[in-house]
């Protein structure tokens, strides 16, 4: 089985030199140097999605110009504000009707599968464990995967990737209580016991708040480093720095 380890670097498109022509809007997106707004999307299926699983999308909002533009200079410097991203946020359901979250929450979709533009970063959380994706949902997940730069599956969101055939011969993770069962029943996937794993553009995480660890790792790899807006936002936001191999967790589940 091919092993593509989760800490391997993301492959991004070529960064143009200063003397190269300005990129057109239809040129490939480079997340480190975007030439248009980054399209971030949350895909909700026709079942309840766990509310904590989609919460990590807010990490991208925290880096956006829309979120930061009113902050005074004594809270965040102009130099850091200049690093803010232009982002578009899309909440997508099959029909464009509101999507259901746990704890009685409902989110108004911005797009249907038909009207949603191609996404650069997509995120999916866990749905009811007995729910099987519809043909339309599987097709949209596959289409999104083919066109995006990163597809983040939080907690049981891996089921959408698994049902859509995106994890075959790949390294992935899932909530810890499910790992051994998955190894026995879905041996086409290299299941690892980690807070998060990455294989190509597909990212998977352990249960619930491990999605925060995963999106934090994603942001650090793309936009992080000393003195960056990403580093400041993660530290000031209290994002945890936890061991990816659960070394800080006592006992077995």
């Amino acid at each position: 089985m091919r092993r593509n380890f989760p800490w391997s670097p993301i492959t991004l498109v070529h960064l143009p030199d200063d003397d190269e022509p300005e990129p057109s809007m239809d040129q490939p997106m480079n997340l480190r140097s975007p030439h248009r707004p980054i399209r971030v999307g949350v895909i909700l299926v026709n079942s309840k999605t766990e509310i904590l699983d989609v919460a990590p999308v807010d990490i991208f909002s925290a880096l956006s110009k829309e979120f930061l533009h009113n902050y005074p200079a004594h809270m965040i410097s102009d130099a850091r504000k200049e690093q803010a991203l232009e982002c578009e946020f899309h909440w997508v359901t099959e029909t464009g009707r509101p999507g259901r979250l746990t704890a009685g929450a409902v989110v108004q979709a911005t797009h249907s599968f038909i009207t949603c533009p191609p996404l650069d970063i997509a995120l999916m959380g866990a749905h009811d464990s007995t729910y099987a994706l519809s043909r339309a949902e599987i097709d949209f997940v596959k289409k999104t995967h083919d066109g995006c730069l990163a597809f983040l599956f939080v907690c049981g969101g891996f089921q959408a990737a698994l049902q859509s055939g995106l994890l075959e011969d790949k390294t992935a993770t899932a909530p810890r209580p499910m790992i051994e069962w998955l190894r026995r029943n879905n041996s086409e996937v290299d299941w690892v016991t980690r807070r998060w794993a990455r294989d190509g553009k597909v990212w998977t995480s352990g249960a619930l708040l491990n999605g925060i660890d995963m999106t934090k790792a994603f942001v650090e790899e793309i936009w992080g480093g000393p003195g960056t807006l990403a580093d400041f936002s993660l530290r000031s936001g209290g994002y945890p720095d936890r061991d990816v191999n659960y070394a800080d967790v006592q006992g077995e589940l």
Side-chain angles (χ1 to χ4, degrees):
M1 178 180 293
R2 178 174 59 85
R3 300 294 177 91
N4 189 345
F5 291 101
W7 52 85
S8 56
I10 291 177
T11 301
L12 295 173
V13 297
H14 165 69
L15 281 169
D17 296 327
D18 291 340
D19 57 350
E20 290 187 19
E22 288 292 321
S24 65
M25 294 298 284
D26 59 354
Q27 282 188 306
M29 169 62 81
N30 184 311
L31 292 177
R32 289 198 179 102
S33 183
H35 63 282
R36 58 163 174 76
I38 299 171
R39 301 183 190 123
V40 181
V42 178
I43 302 171
L44 302 174
V45 298
N46 292 315
S47 176
K48 289 183 180 178
T49 297
E50 292 188 1
I51 194 168
L52 282 177
D53 289 357
V54 298
V57 72
D58 206 44
I59 198 170
F60 302 108
S61 176
L63 300 175
S64 70
K65 292 181 179 180
E66 180 181 13
F67 180 78
L68 294 170
H69 78 282
N70 281 331
Y71 271 70
H74 69 270
M75 292 185 66
I76 181 168
S77 68
D78 289 340
R80 286 194 174 117
K81 281 186 182 180
E82 289 176 0
Q83 300 174 43
L85 304 171
E86 291 273 7
C87 293
E88 297 175 356
F89 293 95
H90 306 273
W91 291 79
V92 191
T93 62
E94 181 177 352
T95 63
R97 293 178 179 176
R100 294 179 297 155
L101 305 180
T102 53
V106 177
V107 61
Q108 178 60 56
T110 61
H111 291 84
S112 69
F113 291 172
I114 293 175
T115 64
C116 183
L119 300 175
D120 301 308
I121 301 170
L123 184 146
M124 292 187 76
H127 52 74
D128 188 294
S129 61
T130 63
Y131 178 75
L133 270 65
S134 69
R135 182 74 257 171
E137 289 167 340
I138 289 173
D139 288 345
F140 187 73
V141 169
K142 288 181 176 179
K143 176 183 176 182
T144 300
H145 170 266
D146 290 345
C148 72
L149 291 174
F151 208 142
L152 314 178
F153 295 95
V154 178
C155 187
F158 80 88
Q159 291 180 315
L162 192 61
Q163 292 178 37
S164 301
L166 303 184
L167 298 185
E168 185 173 356
D169 295 329
K170 288 187 177 293
T171 297
T173 193
R176 291 173 70 203
M178 305 177 72
I179 294 290
E180 289 305 320
W181 188 93
L182 288 165
R183 285 172 176 160
R184 293 193 301 270
N185 292 274
N186 295 98
S187 59
E188 75 278 9
V189 183
D190 178 21
W191 298 103
V192 293
T193 306
R194 295 170 59 89
R195 291 192 186 278
W196 59 269
R198 173 183 170 253
D199 195 325
K201 66 173 72 175
V202 174
W203 297 65
T204 49
S205 86
L208 294 169
L209 294 180
N210 293 291
I212 296 289
D213 299 276
M214 179 179 69
T215 49
K216 176 177 180 282
F218 177 84
V219 165
E220 287 175 333
E221 182 161 330
I222 303 298
W223 300 293
T228 61
L229 171 63
D231 179 66
F232 171 81
S233 296
L234 292 170
R235 288 188 295 108
S236 62
Y239 281 81
D241 186 14
R242 303 194 295 180
D243 185 81
V244 71
N245 294 307
Y246 295 110
D248 54 328
V249 176
Q250 299 296 318
E252 297 294 329
L253 294 180

